[in-house]
Amino acid sequence: MNVRRYRARDMREAMRQVREYQGPDAVILSTHRVDGMLEVVAAFDSELVEQEGVTPAKLGTTARSRDNLPPSDPDLEAMRRELSDLRHLLVAQNNATEMAQWAARHPLAAELVSRLAHCGFNEKLARSLVGGIAEDQHIETAWSRLRARLSAALTVTQPDVLERGGMLALVGPTGVGKTTTISRLALRQMRRMGREAVSLVTLDRQRFGAYKQLQAFGQMAGLSVMLMEDERELTTLASHTGDGRLVLIDTAGRAARDMMERRLFSTVRAETSLETWLVVAATHQARVMNQILQAFEGCEPTALVLTKVDEAALLGEVLSVLLEQRLGLTFYSDGQRLTEDFHAIDTAHLTSLALREVVTQQQPRRWAGQQSTAGMGGADELSAYNPYANHADSQAGMILESVVPFSKRPHVGF
């Protein structure tokens, strides 16, 4: 808001100054006589002009240099701030009035939107979901229909890499559970196709103790864990991989801002087939989730794994973001146990959690592909394995023994 004070002999002269310095769209706020001169206070809303697309060329003389304008004083600056605050207040009141009028016309839809907002869903998505629901329905009937819409709107994908084998790398920020997810996928593959059908690779040399966690799991599961220096070694590894073998690759976590210009596996993809999944935590705020999805686009992920569902305060906030992007969900986790808390995507269950509905306690759900572990040796014990437990005393030796530097023994485990 541009507020100026002018002094002139009469109103004609004052108006000429106002038009010259602030343009024909300026508004006269007050006029009074001071020492025989006419004092005029005028204002010009530059923010409104920008919103309406009015350019300086349309305002004629208003595009003059600021050096030629009369100097402002503290009183005018205070008035400017007050007018700006008043304008924002009026806009907010106008929006509230429009919302109240809409709610009065559509009371059922307004109640549904309010419930969704309470669950963390943004207003734009909420209004889209309730669109077309008849106002003459009972509230619970309408809520059931809304639940079905939300469940159907979630994108689910079922990548075939777990069936055909190949290289699968998990990428994502630090602390989202990539290493734990690698262990879960490895155990799933072992139960379905045997221990010889899966291999573990880690590229994480940055986070202290990160690869030791995977190595501890590998020792307990009877799997070798290859620690690689860089992405290029994956090309050599691919030439030794047999048909049907799944190579699970753990990567170092990176902040979203560090991934904007980085393209993981860009050189490897030109020489071998490699698929990436993006691991995200349900505890992320919507703004952070959007940044992560944008930052990791360069990794060309084909699916999403959602972790820490049990820790999310408002799951609806995360689902609002996921509903507006192209990647489909493939697995989610809601606890620390390797098998019982790792599930193939169940949109109905996720929707119930997001809507904060009471979920009936049932027997632990079996995740996709879970079969009998007869003949698997210690695989049953791994079901209760907590990768964050302290194994320093009992497993210090075996952790060191499970380190297999790929650069020295490239054929280990194949």
Side-chain angles (χ1 to χ4, degrees), residues 171-174 253-265 269 276 278-280 284 286-301 304 321 325-327:
V171 299
T174 302
R254 299 179 183 276
R257 62 179 178 274
D258 297 332
M259 289 299 301
M260 289 297 184
E261 302 299 330
R262 183 174 173 82
R263 297 292 182 266
L264 282 178
F265 308 116
R269 292 181 193 277
T276 57
L278 176 59
V279 182
V280 293
H284 288 314
R287 179 179 57 83
V288 176
M289 183 68 78
N290 278 314
Q291 291 177 347
I292 292 172
L293 290 171
Q294 180 180 2
F296 282 88
E297 283 183 354
C299 299
E300 301 180 23
L304 288 173
V321 177
Q325 53 86 50
R326 62 177 181 81
L327 290 176

Side-chain angles (χ1 to χ4, degrees), residues 49-70:
V49 169
E50 292 177 359
Q51 292 176 2
E52 295 180 353
V54 180
T55 61
K58 298 179 182 179
L59 298 178
T61 58
T62 58
R64 294 190 177 186
S65 171
R66 292 182 178 269
D67 296 337
N68 297 327
L69 295 178

Side-chain angles (χ1 to χ4, degrees), residues 13-14 22 27 45 73 84 125 164 167 191 205 245 285 295 319 343-344 347 360 377 387 405:
E13 175 63 21
Q22 290 183 288
V27 178
D45 194 341
D73 55 47
S84 179
L125 175 62
R164 59 176 167 80
M167 288 190 165
R191 288 184 164 182
R205 289 179 170 271
R245 179 182 292 273
Q285 295 179 341
L319 294 189
H343 321 281
T347 58
T360 303

Side-chain angles (χ1 to χ4, degrees), residues 180-181 184 305-310 331-344 364-367 370 383-386:
T180 303
T181 302
R184 286 166 162 162
V305 177
L306 186 64
T307 63
K308 303 185 180 181
V309 171
D310 57 315
F331 288 98
Y332 74 96
S333 63
D334 53 8
Q336 297 296 329
R337 296 174 299 179
L338 281 184
T339 59
E340 292 86 346
D341 299 330
F342 189 60
H343 321 281
R365 286 172 292 143
R366 297 171 67 88
W367 33 282
Q370 183 171 341
S383 298
Y385 169 63
N386 182 349

Side-chain angles (χ1 to χ4, degrees), residues 34-236:
V34 178
D35 298 331
M37 299 289 288
L38 179 64
E39 185 174 87
V40 175
V41 177
F44 175 72
D45 194 341
S46 58
E47 294 181 5
L48 182 61
V49 169
E50 292 177 359
Q51 292 176 2
E52 295 180 353
V54 180
T55 61
K58 298 179 182 179
L59 298 178
T61 58
T62 58
R64 294 190 177 186
S65 171
R66 292 182 178 269
D67 296 337
N68 297 327
L69 295 178
S72 60
D73 55 47
D75 292 338
L76 287 177
E77 292 296 332
M79 183 181 296
R80 178 183 303 168
R81 289 192 296 269
E82 291 177 3
L83 288 173
S84 179
D85 293 341
L86 179 60
R87 177 178 177 273
H88 290 301
L89 178 61
L90 290 174
V91 171
Q93 289 180 342
N94 183 60
N95 292 337
T97 301
E98 291 182 354
M99 182 63 182
Q101 293 175 351
W102 178 81
R105 295 192 302 269
H106 309 281
L108 178 61
E111 173 63 21
L112 296 176
V113 169
S114 177
R115 287 192 182 188
L116 288 173
H118 183 67
C119 297
F121 291 92
N122 63 58
E123 182 180 344
K124 179 182 177 182
L125 175 62
R127 287 209 184 193
S128 174
L129 288 171
V130 304
I133 294 181
E135 285 289 330
D136 58 353
Q137 297 184 48
H138 188 273
I139 180 65
E140 294 308 322
T141 302
W143 187 251
S144 296
R145 180 167 295 185
L146 179 65
R147 184 193 303 112
R149 283 187 178 183
L150 182 57
S151 177
L154 286 172
T155 303
V156 179
T157 184
Q158 297 178 341
D160 63 351
V161 64
L162 299 182
E163 306 298 329
R164 59 176 167 80
M167 288 190 165
L168 172 60
L170 298 190
V171 299
T174 302
V176 295
K178 294 186 299 298
T179 304
T180 303
T181 302
I182 286 280
S183 301
R184 286 166 162 162
L185 289 172
L187 183 55
R188 178 186 186 275
Q189 199 74 354
M190 287 168 54
R191 288 184 164 182
R192 297 175 66 250
M193 298 185 176
R195 183 178 288 109
E196 68 283 353
V198 60
S199 296
L200 302 178
V201 171
T202 178
L203 296 174
D204 190 353
R205 289 179 170 271
Q206 298 182 7
R207 187 163 56 95
F208 178 76
Y211 64 88
K212 289 188 177 181
Q213 177 182 324
L214 189 60
Q215 291 159 359
F217 167 80
Q219 181 70 37
M220 297 180 71
L223 298 174
S224 61
V225 179
M226 288 164 280
L227 180 61
M228 295 190 172
E229 294 288 343
D230 53 43
E231 302 170 10
R232 292 186 176 277
E233 292 186 349
L234 292 174
T235 304
T236 306

